[in-house]
């Protein structure tokens, strides 16, 4: 099957361009990329194609970008399928323009053996319409004591290793795991945070937390965690990705580590890019995430770091929680927010605020995460997989959390005005989502 | 200036109150102080209404004060000791609220160990809610009774130098007082070891001192806080005796305050830890007993005002 997506505004993060063009896709790949507005018959003729063999899709001048590669999605299988299954997460991803989800191993039980990983992979293949790449735990039971079977897990499909929000506190264990991972060529993702300083915290220390009387953590805890990890990277030379850098104080260390040639990249979450601590207001638990939302100064510093390429990746940090775990006093409530479907509209806030342009956004949403995981996707280049998202960056709507595909509805963007909507999502050239006509 | 009026559905904290609302509560409380000193102490302001005291955290003094306040105003008062009951059985706060709604209370007094829990409950119940202390967040009636005590002792509630001393970090009393006294335009000093005094409070306009002698110079009011041992994760101060040496209120340190400065404490006191026993008992300086008396009056006033608003709202609904 051959498809021609024509009359599009191509957002190319690799070339850094935002210009009219068309894409010809066949056999799941991008066959040709054509600049400018060309006549469809001319394009077909040039490629020796008959009109009957080609599906024509008129993009009406809307944006066509490489599909989002989302590192750090929590699907609650095994253990808590009522919160999110591979089916619901897959539908949510497709509706959000996410063509590859890179799943977290912090399930119950956690994914720390090839056997559980195989179960997960099987479930994902059966149910999810998008690409699913699993991550596995770095230590058994995410307990920070013994490393997992990294080689076997890689053979079973693990693309990275992480204990998620559990920091491996024992530096000896962590340095050995990094050393061993390096010998396998494995990517280790960590949560930079000083666990002592952040113990029990539900907010970032500052005027807001002081007023609300919430146990809080100094933003310095993130820098301390990152400093420690960087020292261990100097020691081991491992391949490392920081899951979320959310504070200004952590950025110079990250920049220095990169300049010193360490194999380090960093992500941040869409919530830390678009919300700040004041959004918690009267203890709204849908705004409780981990690490906690930061000050406005931190948010702007992180946006700037993303623009300058100091931070590489934007993740949804999709964390489904049911109503019961959120309808509790703030301190007791579970952390996390669903975000697969709100990732792109929320990211458009940065575009409309003129903080980031679209190619820069898609560099962090699609290209960089794909590169870091060694994937061919995340690009609009000829030969790349036809994982694509067609979206209208301008269309306004009010978010209704009950309209989300995710089984859990814990989004901080509920009832908020958003701008930018996914029109269609393609995985390997196959349409997996199309916005219903309003 | 607005005339004293009170336009709130709940009393969840001092933060949402306007200065004129604070004055309204204090003015009404004055009349209840007079009533409470009579032999016949009964009023029927809350007659026919049901008041439920829900304490998810141990309390003797606050609960007794609210109970007495309700009874003097003629309400049917019920105490529910929540730490002993349903939460142990796994009931969530929301379920508790649903259960309560079915009992049709009119006034709900809540204390909870977590900040924000009382706000959460207030969103789910159909009655007026009074916060009797939530985590480290607010304890509005304590701040109001402190304000009434200060106003009676000093003749005014503005342009005073007020020192709040001790464990500010874990104290909801300190937060509510800081907000209330700030709204009424006083100068506030926070005194304590830096491990117990969050520096962010400077952003609220408070002056922060880690030297108590320095901080007490020329103040009109000295508010001591309980060193909440049960709240300590451990390691905030080296020992009780060193704490008393540096931050305990004794005659020496008090001599630096104004000669007519009053000494306050929300109770229960740790004698010899944050306050010297002789100072606590000095009737010329200490207003600690008066604070307890004002507590009943202020709670009567707050419940009376909330009940008026509740009745008005229900009448409007019925129409």
């Amino acid at each position: 099957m051959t498809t021609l997506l024509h009359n599009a505004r191509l957002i190319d993060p690799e070339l850094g361009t935002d210009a009219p063009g068309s894409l010809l896709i066949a056999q799941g790949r991008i066959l040709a990329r054509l600049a400018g507005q060309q006549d469809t018959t001319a394009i077909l003729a040039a490629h020796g194609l008959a009109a009957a063999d080609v599906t024509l899709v008129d993009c009406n001048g809307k944006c066509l970008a490489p599909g989002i590669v989302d590192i750090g999605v929590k699907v609650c299988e095994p253990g808590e399928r009522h919160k999110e299954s591979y089916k619901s997460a897959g539908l949510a991803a497709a509706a959000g323009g996410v063509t590859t989800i890179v799943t977290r191993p912090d399930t119950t039980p956690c994914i720390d053996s090839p056997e559980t990983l195989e179960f997960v992979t099987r479930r994902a293949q059966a149910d999810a319409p998008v690409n699913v790449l699993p991550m596995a735990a770095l230590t058994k039971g995410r307990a920070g004591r013994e490393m997992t079977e990294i080689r076997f897990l890689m053979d079973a499909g693990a693309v990275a290793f992480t204990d998620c929000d559990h920091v491996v506190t024992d530096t000896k264990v962590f340095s050995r795991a990094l050393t061993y991972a390096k010998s396998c060529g494995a990517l280790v993702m960590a949560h930079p945070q000083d666990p002592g300083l952040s113990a029990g915290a539900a907010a970032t220390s500052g005027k807001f937390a002081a007023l609300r009387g919430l146990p809080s953590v100094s933003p310095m805890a993130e820098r301390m965690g990152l400093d420690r990890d960087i020292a261990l990277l100097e020691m081991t030379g491992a391949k490392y990705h920081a899951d979320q850098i959310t504070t200004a104080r952590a950025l110079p260390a990250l920049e220095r580590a990169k300049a010193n040639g360490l194999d380090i990249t960093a992500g941040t979450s869409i919530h830390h890019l678009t919300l700040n601590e004041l959004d918690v207001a009267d203890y709204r638990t849908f705004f409780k995430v981990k690490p906690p939302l930061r000050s406005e100064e931190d948010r702007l510093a992180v946006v700037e770091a993303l623009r300058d390429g100091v931070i590489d990746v934007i993740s949804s940090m999709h964390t489904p929680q049911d109503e019961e775990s959120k309808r509790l006093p703030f301190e007791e409530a579970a952390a996390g927010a669903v975000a697969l479907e709100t990732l792109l509209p929320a990211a458009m806030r940065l575009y409309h605020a003129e903080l980031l342009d679209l190619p820069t956004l898609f560099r962090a949403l699609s290209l960089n995460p794909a590169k870091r995981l060694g994937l061919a996707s995340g690009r609009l280049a000829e030969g790349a997989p036809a994982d694509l998202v067609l979206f209208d960056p301008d269309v306004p709507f009010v978010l209704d959390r009950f309209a989300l595909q995710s089984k859990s509805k814990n989004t901080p963007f509920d009832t908020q005005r958003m701008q930018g909507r996914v029109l269609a999502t393609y995985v390997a050239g196959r349409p997996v989502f199309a916005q219903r006509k309003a | 200036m607005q005339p004293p009026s009170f336009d709130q559905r709940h009393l969840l904290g001092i933060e949402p109150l306007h200065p004129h609302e604070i004055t309204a509560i204090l003015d009404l409380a004055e009349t209840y102080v007079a009533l409470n000193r009579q032999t016949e102490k009964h009023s029927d302001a809350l007659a026919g209404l049901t008041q439920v005291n829900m304490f998810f955290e141990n309390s003797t003094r606050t609960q007794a004060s609210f109970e007495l306040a309700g009874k003097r105003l003629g309400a049917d008062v019920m105490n529910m000791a929540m730490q002993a009951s349903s939460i142990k059985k796994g009931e969530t706060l929301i379920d508790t609220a649903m259960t309560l709604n079915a009992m049709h209370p009119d006034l709900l007094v809540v204390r909870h160990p977590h900040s924000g829990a009382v706000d959460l409950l207030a969103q789910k119940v159909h009655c007026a809610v009074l916060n009797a202390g939530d985590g480290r967040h607010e304890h509005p009636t304590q701040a109001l009774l402190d304000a009434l005590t200060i106003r009676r002792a000093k003749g005014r509630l503005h342009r005073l130098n007020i020192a709040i001393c001790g464990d500010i970090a874990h104290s909801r009393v300190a937060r509510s007082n800081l907000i209330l006294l700030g709204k009424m335009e006083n100068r506030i000093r926070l005194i304590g070891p830096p491990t117990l005094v969050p520096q962010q409070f400077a952003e609220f306009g408070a002056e922060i001192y880690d030297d108590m002698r320095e901080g007490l110079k020329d103040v009109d009011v000295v508010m001591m806080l309980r060193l909440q041992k049960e709240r300590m994760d451990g390691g905030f101060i080296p020992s009780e005796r060193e704490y008393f040496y540096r931050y305990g209120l004794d005659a020496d340190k008090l001599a630096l305050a104004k000669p007519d400065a009053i000494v306050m404490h929300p109770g229960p006191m740790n004698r010899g830890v944050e306050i010297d026993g002789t100072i606590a008992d000095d009737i010329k300086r200490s207003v600690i007993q008066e604070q307890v008396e004002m507590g009943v009056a202020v709670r009567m006033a707050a419940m009376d005002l909330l009940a008026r608003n509740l009745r008005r709202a229900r009448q409007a609904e019925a129409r």
Side-chain angles (χ1 to χ4, degrees):
Chain A
M1 195 184 77
T2 308
T3 308
L4 178 64
L5 297 156
H6 65 97
N7 187 22
R9 178 175 159 195
L10 296 182
I11 310 298
D12 190 330
E14 213 171 11
L15 303 175
T17 54
D18 176 350
S22 309
L23 289 182
L24 189 61
I25 57 184
Q27 280 143 7
R29 298 197 167 268
I30 297 171
L31 191 66
R33 180 207 149 114
L34 308 133
Q37 280 169 317
Q38 293 185 25
D39 183 45
T40 53
T41 41
I43 298 173
L44 295 185
H47 288 83
L49 292 161
D53 302 335
V54 179
T55 314
L56 290 180
V57 178
D58 185 349
C59 299
N60 292 315
K62 303 301 183 208
C63 297
L64 188 62
I68 297 168
V69 178
D70 191 358
I71 300 182
V73 173
K74 168 120 183 233
V75 180
C76 307
E77 286 189 64
E80 295 174 303
R81 216 157 116 186
H82 66 286
K83 291 187 178 176
E84 195 82 289
S85 66
Y86 275 95
K87 187 166 187 179
S88 61
L91 291 171
V98 177
T99 49
T100 301
I101 56 177
V102 183
T103 58
R104 301 205 313 247
D106 54 343
T107 45
T108 341
C110 76
I111 301 163
D112 61 356
S113 70
E115 289 76 17
T116 33
L117 187 71
E118 272 163 29
F119 163 79
V120 163
T121 318
R122 215 165 43 238
R123 296 279 310 117
Q125 276 167 357
D127 276 354
V130 300
N131 305 312
V132 178
L133 299 174
M135 294 191 283
L138 182 66
T139 67
K140 288 175 188 159
R142 299 197 296 134
R145 284 192 290 274
E146 304 159 66
M147 68 179 93
T148 51
E149 294 170 312
I150 293 177
R151 185 70 248 178
F152 282 168
L153 285 160
M154 286 177 83
D155 290 346
V159 295
F161 293 82
T162 179
D163 280 356
C164 302
D165 60 340
H166 287 188
V167 176
V168 182
T169 47
D170 187 327
T171 43
K172 196 166 251 173
V173 171
F174 194 42
S175 67
R176 283 181 187 149
L178 286 168
T179 307
Y180 190 84
K182 181 180 158 57
S183 76
C184 301
L187 173 67
V188 173
M189 182 171 96
H191 183 69
Q193 192 70 225
D194 183 82
L197 214 51
S198 60
T204 304
S205 56
K207 194 178 168 186
F208 181 77
L211 182 66
R212 286 286 180 269
L214 290 171
S216 59
V217 56
S218 163
M220 203 60 95
E222 182 172 290
R223 183 186 132 187
M224 289 168 64
L226 185 66
D227 277 342
R228 182 200 78 155
D229 288 3
I230 288 171
L232 291 172
L233 287 186
E234 277 185 35
M235 203 166 109
T236 59
K239 196 166 153 187
Y240 175 99
H241 179 73
D243 65 348
Q244 300 175 74
I245 294 297
T246 59
T247 59
R249 301 296 272 273
L251 293 169
L254 177 61
E255 212 173 343
R256 232 174 10 250
K258 285 185 160 185
N260 291 344
L262 297 180
D263 192 356
I264 182 172
T265 50
T268 193
S269 93
I270 189 65
H271 300 116
H272 291 92
L273 286 169
T274 51
L275 303 168
N276 70 28
E277 55 184 352
L278 300 180
D279 286 305
V280 171
D282 290 325
Y283 305 102
R284 295 193 287 173
T285 56
F286 280 8
F287 290 80
K288 183 174 179 180
V289 291
K290 198 171 178 184
L293 291 174
R294 307 301 194 182
S295 68
E296 180 64 2
E297 294 75 43
D298 278 333
R299 183 185 79 85
L300 291 172
V302 170
V303 172
E304 201 179 303
L306 195 74
R307 191 182 56 216
D308 300 342
V310 176
I311 290 178
D312 306 270
V313 171
I314 302 175
S315 290
S316 71
M317 283 294 149
H318 183 79
T319 307
Q321 298 289 1
D322 55 18
E323 302 286 302
E324 277 63 45
S325 30
K326 282 290 186 184
R327 288 204 309 183
L328 291 169
F330 198 82
E331 281 171 61
E332 288 179 83
V338 291
L340 280 168
E341 287 158 88
T342 50
L343 176 56
L344 190 134
M348 287 306 117
R349 288 185 168 185
L350 300 168
Y351 165 68
H352 291 296
E354 294 177 1
L355 292 167
L356 299 170
D357 59 19
L358 291 176
T360 308
L361 271 172
F362 278 86
R363 186 180 70 196
L365 287 166
S366 308
L367 178 65
N368 284 345
K371 267 194 189 160
R372 192 53 170 155
L373 297 169
L375 309 176
S377 58
R379 301 165 172 84
L380 293 185
E382 290 175 4
D387 293 350
L388 302 164
V389 53
L390 179 67
F391 65 99
D392 182 339
D394 299 314
V395 59
F397 68 102
V398 174
L399 191 101
D400 171 9
R401 68 190 183 106
F402 294 105
L404 296 178
Q405 299 286 336
S406 278
K407 280 193 184 178
S408 295
K409 312 295 183 190
N410 55 309
T411 171
F413 296 110
D414 185 36
T415 72
Q416 289 199 30
R417 283 167 219 220
M418 314 290 282
Q419 212 180 341
R421 202 152 217 196
V422 175
L423 302 173
T425 307
Y426 297 84
V427 173
R430 213 160 27 85
V432 292
F433 171 80
Q435 183 73 45
R436 275 186 307 242
K437 294 272 181 288
Chain B
M1 213 183 102
Q2 292 202 52
S5 68
F6 184 80
D7 190 27
Q8 299 280 337
R9 196 180 150 207
H10 305 295
L11 181 63
L12 300 178
I14 298 298
E15 202 199 347
L17 300 184
H18 291 285
H20 68 86
E21 290 175 317
I22 293 167
T23 307
I25 299 175
L26 300 185
D27 289 353
L28 183 61
E30 288 281 4
T31 68
Y32 285 125
V33 174
L35 180 75
N36 287 339
R37 286 180 181 178
Q38 293 169 16
T39 318
E40 296 298 324
K41 301 177 178 62
H42 239 278
S43 139
D44 54 5
L46 300 185
L49 301 186
T50 302
Q51 173 193 340
V52 176
N53 296 335
M54 271 178 107
F55 281 65
F56 292 89
E57 201 178 67
N58 273 325
S59 159
T60 315
R61 307 157 63 99
T62 308
Q63 187 173 337
S65 182
F66 268 109
E67 185 176 350
L68 196 55
K71 284 182 170 162
R72 290 219 172 128
L73 295 178
D76 296 318
V77 185
M78 178 173 72
N79 289 318
M80 292 172 79
M82 299 306 291
Q83 74 273 19
S85 71
S86 31
I87 34 172
K88 288 266 159 64
K89 297 175 192 159
E91 187 177 72
T92 67
L93 198 57
I94 305 292
D95 289 336
T96 307
M98 296 305 159
T99 310
L100 266 175
N101 278 338
M103 296 182 187
H104 300 290
D106 304 290
L107 293 156
L108 182 61
V109 179
V110 189
R111 169 169 288 187
H112 196 282
H114 291 308
S115 303
V118 182
D119 292 56
L120 179 67
L121 203 58
Q123 290 163 22
K124 306 289 176 188
V125 295
H126 306 313
C127 59
V129 176
L130 289 100
N131 182 358
D134 64 323
R136 323 168 172 183
H137 179 218
E138 282 229 46
H139 189 357
T141 55
Q142 177 71 43
L144 288 162
L145 75 89
D146 288 340
L148 185 59
T149 309
I150 295 170
R151 197 170 83 167
R152 287 168 65 95
K154 292 282 151 199
R156 66 174 197 272
L157 190 57
H158 58 272
R159 296 196 187 174
L160 294 166
N161 285 316
I162 298 170
I164 306 177
C165 317
D167 182 3
I168 314 281
H170 298 96
S171 174
R172 52 195 173 214
V173 175
R175 265 175 196 74
S176 286
N177 265 315
L178 180 64
I179 299 167
L180 189 152
L181 296 168
K183 279 183 197 265
M184 304 314 272
E185 298 176 9
N186 296 283
R187 281 182 72 167
I188 298 153
R189 303 179 186 177
L190 301 177
I191 304 173
T195 46
L196 291 175
V197 182
Q199 303 304 301
Q200 290 87 6
F201 279 119
E203 292 179 47
F204 295 96
E207 296 163 45
I208 294 178
Y209 291 88
D210 53 25
D211 181 338
M212 193 172 189
R213 289 169 187 277
E214 187 97 7
L216 285 182
K217 262 179 206 153
D218 298 321
V219 297
D220 299 288
V221 177
V222 184
M223 264 187 192
M224 299 307 298
L225 294 172
R226 179 182 164 76
L227 184 64
Q228 303 203 3
K229 278 184 279 190
E230 72 270 19
R231 291 287 182 81
M232 297 278 168
D233 294 332
F236 286 87
I237 50 162
S239 71
E240 282 180 13
R241 59 182 190 179
E242 182 162 324
Y243 183 82
F244 183 70
Y245 173 73
R246 293 187 69 198
Y247 299 104
L249 187 67
D250 54 22
D252 258 13
K253 295 188 192 106
L254 184 58
L256 295 160
K258 281 195 185 150
D260 61 347
I262 56 169
V263 174
M264 306 176 74
H265 193 296
M269 281 181 280
N270 293 311
R271 286 168 188 262
V273 179
E274 71 257 357
I275 189 161
D276 188 283
T278 40
I279 294 201
D281 298 334
D282 180 355
I283 50 163
K284 289 203 281 296
R285 309 303 293 271
S286 162
V287 292
I288 296 170
Q289 290 302 312
E290 173 139 349
Q291 283 175 276
V292 180
E293 185 188 356
M294 294 309 121
V296 180
V298 150
R299 287 172 180 124
M300 289 166 82
M303 288 198 289
D304 185 356
L305 290 168
L306 287 172
R308 291 180 202 180
N309 291 351
L310 182 79
R311 285 190 166 119
R312 203 174 304 129
R314 287 192 182 159
Q315 274 163 12
E317 234 171 80
R319 249 185 258 129

